Amino acid sequence: MHDEWPDRRFRDLFLQSGIPQAVIALDGTIAAVNEAACSLFDRRADELVGEPLLSRLPHDGLERSERLLEDLLEGRVRRAQFEHRLLHRDGTSIDALVSAAAIQGPNNELVELSISLQDITALKALERKRLREALEDPLTQLPNRALLMDRIGQAVERELAGNEPYSLLFVNIDRLAAINDSFGHAAGDEVLRAVADTLCGLVRPGDTVARYAGDEFAVLICHPEDPHHAVAVAERAAAALNTTLLGAGWPELHYTASVGLAHGPADTAEALVSAASAAATRAKEFGRGRWHVLGDSARHQMAEQRALGAELTAAVAANGLSVHYQPIVDLRSGNVTAFEALVRWPHPRRGELAPHSFLPLAEALDLQIRIDEWVLREACATATTWPQGDLGPISVAVNVSPAHLTTPGFAAKVCETLRESGLDAGQLALEITETAVVADLALAADVLTTLSEIGVHVSIDDFGTGYSSMLQLRQLPFDKLKIDREFVRALPHSVDDLSICASVVSLASRLGVHAIAEGIEQETQVKALDALGCHYGQGFLWSGAVPASETHQMISATPWLRPTKAGDPRTAAKRNSPSSDPVVLQRARDLHESGASLNTIAASLNRAGSKTHGGLRWHAASVARLLFPQGGS
């Protein structure tokens, strides 16, 4: 046993150490081992000494071990640490952490190698167990979402490198929640396992069946030779999953699944999953137990939405939105009494986007509340700069989304915003839709009552288009009812719409609140609404939403338009055209005849320094009144 120890103490420390250790001669054989190493291999020292170290390694570890041993013996490295599997006497393997170091002689020449071993078999087994749990669905033993996404990502890369086509099936079990509710979760689990078995029986060895989440499965199909294979699998899956499950504890249980199919290539794994999921949703819309493949146009539209979503997220983070303001006018006096704050998105490529173009996307991306809070801050800060109007302080109306209204702390956030801006609570109106309060009427009533008590006003927006009853709305402290533009559009010619508007105005009067009509574009509508007793209106007749910088001019320019008796020549002139300058009218006509849009004409008139009668900038609505006057009443 290696009798040439330079130091007896070193030998004793080596032999008695609890760490398995060995000394390796320059020819790669074992020169000495301690008792701990003998126990690790279940062999005597005389059985190990003289044996090549590499004989203790399984075949799959030889190549790497040979390189490391060669580096040590030839002096290229002084130390090395690596993991290897070692062979036990019974043929089983031991996971070991191997630490090797060069031992030098008196003249710094390499004499031997010192090897220490740490048994990490249990640790590696635990790591493998955790990895399996991280990548495997425990119920079905299928790959889970994480492993699926990794394999889809690999397919995307292979397709880019070698044009190897692939497709993804997305399988959604129809009404699994109802099965769980009716028969218990044990029945639902049996359905999930049955679906997993069915899908595995439909695919080839190279394909991947995974449980994506809950009642959703996915099948990644690689089809380098048969482009129609994925379609065939989708058809068979929809048919095979329209079946009945027999089990103990419940009667015959029938279930179906909706199957969506999306073909590669895709930019990312997430894009392919989104496309296949959308196809499954479309299949479900056609009827349960069907399959649907997503076409190129739908894929393109989804890609556009993903890009727009990423841009919107970045814009919100960078305060890249803007707030415009549409005036609310007193119909009797023609004075501006308030502005409604409306968010806009100045998109770098698509131009200025109106709320309906991006707010549904913002809600899907969970950005709506952040946008609401930002608009509230901007609107309150802007309102503090407005001069006093002829009828009193100018108010600002801010829309509140349903999700925001019932968010914990909403009332406190409004109060905090008022304090920070310095705006009087009486100058703030919150506009809520009927649907915003129906979901949780009691909570909405508590929140709005708290704000009403400090002076904040409340308007019910789009009244008449929701599903609430007046009995429900009476529980809320509101000041105004807004008549939806759909009921104003055909006034005064539509008898039905006239009756609806009359009913809303009458109802508002009985409740002691005011009515605001939206979407007013013609003076005849103003006259009809005023005759019904409607107090306020807003619409393109006066102005669309404008930047904050133009609101001061609007306030000072009023009164704009008030209902007057027919035949008044001054009223007729004002009604027929927002400008009496013949040069302005001729320029607008020339541009219109050349094919220019109303927005283009407005921009041209503004660049030339022209203003309307009220001293305002031109907009599409005012250009329309200039080119197409309504004539007499």
Side-chain angles (χ1 to χ4, degrees), residues 52-195:
L53 172 67
L54 298 183
S55 67
R56 296 290 92 215
L57 300 176
H59 181 72
D60 60 2
L62 281 176
E63 183 178 348
R64 181 166 179 263
S65 300
E66 286 173 342
R67 286 200 311 271
L68 291 169
L69 190 61
E70 184 179 340
D71 288 341
L72 284 163
L73 292 173
E74 295 186 4
R76 286 191 287 271
V77 295
R78 295 284 306 278
R79 296 179 180 275
Q81 189 175 72
F82 48 92
E83 292 181 6
H84 263 306
R85 286 188 176 182
L86 308 178
L87 289 177
H88 195 269
R89 178 191 286 275
D90 61 9
T92 61
S93 61
I94 303 167
D95 288 304
L97 179 64
V98 182
S99 299
I103 300 176
Q104 295 177 321
N107 298 319
N108 293 326
E109 74 278 14
L110 180 65
V111 176
E112 296 169 320
L113 299 180
S114 171
I115 301 289
S116 63
L117 306 169
Q118 181 182 351
D119 186 354
I120 57 172
T121 304
L123 179 61
K124 297 300 291 184
L126 181 61
E127 286 182 1
R128 287 190 289 270
K129 180 175 181 290
R130 289 177 175 172
L131 179 62
R132 186 172 63 254
E133 291 174 347
L135 299 177
E136 182 181 280
D137 172 52
L139 179 66
T140 62
Q141 280 74 57
L142 291 177
N144 64 8
R145 181 192 301 190
L147 183 53
L148 172 72
M149 298 304 286
D150 179 71
R151 291 185 180 175
I152 296 175
Q154 293 178 34
V156 170
E157 292 177 2
R158 287 197 304 271
E159 195 278 334
L160 292 173
N163 194 30
E164 180 180 317
Y166 57 88
S167 302
L168 184 71
L169 259 68
F170 205 83
V171 180
N172 185 272
I173 304 173
D174 299 322
R175 301 175 62 251
L176 181 64
I179 293 173
N180 286 330
D181 292 342
S182 301
F183 303 105
H185 284 270
D189 288 348
E190 285 300 316
V191 170
L192 290 168
R193 282 189 281 263
V195 169

Side-chain angles (χ1 to χ4, degrees), residues 326-332 482-492 501 505 515-532 534-544 560-561 563 621-622 625 630:
Q326 185 175 31
I328 298 174
V329 177
D330 180 279
L331 298 184
R332 298 282 176 88
K482 298 195 76 173
I483 305 173
D484 187 77
R485 66 184 68 248
E486 291 301 320
F487 303 132
V488 174
R489 188 188 309 275
L491 293 183
C501 290
V505 172
I516 304 176
E518 296 181 297
I520 298 176
E521 298 182 3
Q522 301 175 14
E523 290 183 37
T524 52
Q525 295 169 337
V526 175
K527 289 188 175 184
L529 290 163
D530 179 63
L532 294 175
C534 183
H535 289 83
Y536 304 102
Q538 65 183 112
F540 286 114
L541 176 63
W542 297 286
S543 175
W560 288 350
L561 175 71
S622 52
R625 297 200 306 275
Q630 294 292 321

Side-chain angles (χ1 to χ4, degrees), residues 330 457-460 478-483 504-505 507-517 533-536:
D330 180 279
H457 297 278
V458 177
S459 297
I460 305 297
F478 62 91
D479 310 282
K480 295 179 177 65
L481 286 178
K482 298 195 76 173
I483 305 173
V504 175
V505 172
L507 177 62
S509 178
R510 291 196 197 98
L511 294 173
V513 300
H514 296 302
I516 304 176
C534 183
H535 289 83
Y536 304 102

Side-chain angles (χ1 to χ4, degrees), residues 29 55 61 75 104 143 160 162 164 195 228 258 265 284 287 300 323 375 392 420 489 528 559 567 585 588 626 632:
T29 61
S55 67
Q104 295 177 321
L160 292 173
E164 180 180 317
V195 169
H228 304 293
S258 299
K284 195 180 290 286
H300 176 73
V323 181
V375 171
E420 290 177 349
R489 188 188 309 275
L585 177 60
L626 176 68

Side-chain angles (χ1 to χ4, degrees), residues 338-388:
F339 288 92
E340 180 179 358
L342 298 167
V343 67
R344 296 288 189 268
W345 180 13
H347 192 277
R349 291 181 292 103
R350 307 185 186 200
E352 188 171 82
L353 300 182
H356 70 270
S357 301
F358 63 90
L359 286 187
L361 181 60
E363 187 171 356
L365 295 173
D366 202 24
L367 298 172
Q368 182 66 65
I369 292 177
R370 291 177 60 186
I371 293 175
D372 279 3
E373 291 178 347
W374 180 81
V375 171
L376 179 65
R377 290 194 301 271
E378 289 290 308
C380 288
T382 298
T384 60
T385 69
W386 290 333
Q388 183 90 351

